[in-house]
Amino acid sequence: MLEVYAVKQEEIDDFRLKSLIPYLSEKRKDKISRFLRQEDIYHSIIGEILVRKLVCEKLDLKNNQIIFENNNYGKPFLKGYDNLYFNISHSRRWVVCAISEREVGVDIEEVKAIDLNIAKRFFSKKEYEELMTKNNQLSYFYNLWTLKESYIKAVGMGLSIPLNQFTIIDRDKNIFLEDQNRSGLYTFKKYKIDRDYKMASCVKGKLQEDELIISSVNEIINDFKEHI
Ligand code: COA
Ligand code: MG
């Protein structure tokens, strides 16, 4: 099972937001104290609160029983449980979290005008050639970008997997990975949640069932508070 939660930004009382900080990890508190932009603070707090709410619900834990660790490439995971994985992504208006019993990655990006020449560097030759055949190249660029990011985030190795050394072939219902010994071992999904954003997830193995859940920030905070 794969569940993907998407939380759209809305006006939220600053006091209510900041009152959540004591329930976060020390690492997160430290990070937040160094952020200058309100948006980064918001993303960081809501991202972790969303994960905490989900983990508490799925494992029937209290918030203070959760311990996060990071792998060598910075991917956060849950200490002490090898049957629940999650991954967060945020982009301006959205904070999203994928949760599954298998290794998972998720990525959301706002579609903004960019110089498509960067695809020459970040995409494989095959991907770049495919991009050049498309009518809406900007849309396809972000589509492939989020798919590629969801994959490196599922593996958990970040950019130490060179983006131009693997290929994702996107035939809509059928999305296929070509990457040495990992070819075909991951399942991809695309989500349409907002016309200005692209979003994709990637899980290890075959995907039996999946669900997209759109929630409000206040709902997430209220649910979280049941577990403190
Ligand atoms: N693997 C998986 N997830 C990771 C991770 C890793 N190695 N390191 C961090 N994360 C998680 C964290 O939870 C992080 O959120 P947090 O810091 O609030 O806890 C979250 O991923 C950030 O994801 P996202 O919002 O999608 O950020 P990003 O797209 O800027 O970065 C990275 C994702 C850090 C994993 C990395 O792949 C990166 O730097 N990507 C940008 C690369 C790029 O230029 N891509 C072009 C593609 S064509
Ligand atoms: Mg991203």
Side-chain angles (χ1 to χ4, degrees):
M1 179 68 179
L2 166 69
E3 288 174 341
V4 176
Y5 288 77
V7 180
K8 194 174 184 170
Q9 185 166 23
E10 49 191 285
E11 276 303 318
I12 165 170
D13 183 65
D14 198 49
F15 179 78
R16 180 161 157 86
L17 185 68
K18 300 275 168 64
S19 74
L20 297 165
I21 295 177
Y23 303 106
L24 304 176
S25 65
E26 292 307 314
K27 204 172 162 167
R28 180 74 59 182
K29 289 179 194 164
D30 183 52
K31 217 167 154 179
I32 291 168
S33 72
R34 284 180 284 111
F35 281 142
L36 299 175
R37 295 192 314 158
Q38 196 55 37
E39 178 177 285
D40 293 332
I41 296 171
Y42 171 92
H43 281 163
S44 205
I45 296 175
I46 298 304
E48 189 169 320
I49 290 295
L50 176 56
V51 174
R52 285 177 175 273
K53 160 203 139 72
L54 293 171
V55 168
C56 286
E57 281 175 6
K58 308 243 171 242
L59 298 174
D60 195 19
L61 295 178
K62 282 282 176 208
N63 180 57
N64 63 12
Q65 294 177 290
I66 296 178
I67 302 171
F68 293 121
E69 287 191 333
N70 297 82
N71 76 6
N72 292 338
Y73 306 91
K75 181 173 182 174
F77 66 90
L78 199 54
K79 187 181 174 184
Y81 296 89
D82 59 6
N83 56 356
L84 194 65
Y85 297 87
F86 65 88
N87 194 231
I88 309 172
S89 182
H90 28 74
S91 180
R92 217 160 64 91
R93 275 205 297 263
W94 292 94
V95 175
V96 301
C97 177
I99 188 155
S100 175
E101 64 279 1
R102 282 185 275 128
E103 300 266 21
V104 62
V106 67
D107 192 50
I108 183 159
E109 302 287 341
E110 185 182 11
V111 177
K112 290 183 265 197
I114 43 146
D115 178 0
L116 287 172
N117 272 313
I118 73 159
K120 274 193 193 136
R121 258 195 302 142
F122 292 128
F123 286 9
S124 69
K125 188 164 176 289
K126 213 167 173 178
E127 287 170 338
Y128 184 75
E129 283 169 3
E130 181 82 15
L131 171 68
M132 288 303 118
T133 68
K134 300 291 175 189
N135 288 328
N136 191 342
Q137 297 190 348
L138 189 66
S139 169
Y140 190 75
F141 172 84
Y142 278 100
N143 172 51
L144 214 55
W145 174 333
T146 52
L147 285 165
K148 287 173 80 68
E149 282 265 340
S150 73
Y151 167 59
I152 61 172
K153 292 181 79 183
V155 178
M157 290 172 65
L159 294 172
S160 58
I161 300 182
L163 288 166
N164 56 9
Q165 312 240 313
F166 65 91
T167 296
I168 292 177
I169 299 161
D170 178 4
R171 301 272 180 268
D172 281 324
K173 291 271 170 290
N174 200 354
I175 305 170
F176 193 81
L177 167 73
E178 288 176 357
D179 187 13
Q180 296 167 36
N181 51 3
R182 286 193 286 259
S183 293
L185 297 184
Y186 288 78
T187 307
F188 296 88
K189 268 216 73 136
K190 304 193 280 188
Y191 305 85
K192 286 197 178 88
I193 59 166
D194 185 322
R195 67 189 164 94
D196 300 326
Y197 291 75
K198 293 282 178 190
M199 174 171 159
S201 71
C202 172
V203 287
K204 201 171 178 184
K206 289 269 165 286
L207 190 56
Q208 310 295 353
E209 239 186 299
D210 78 287
E211 194 179 349
L212 170 69
I213 300 109
I214 308 225
S215 285
S216 76
V217 181
N218 284 307
E219 205 178 331
I220 296 300
I221 296 173
N222 290 341
D223 288 356
F224 166 74
K225 286 189 168 167
E226 305 268 311
H227 305 282
I228 57 184

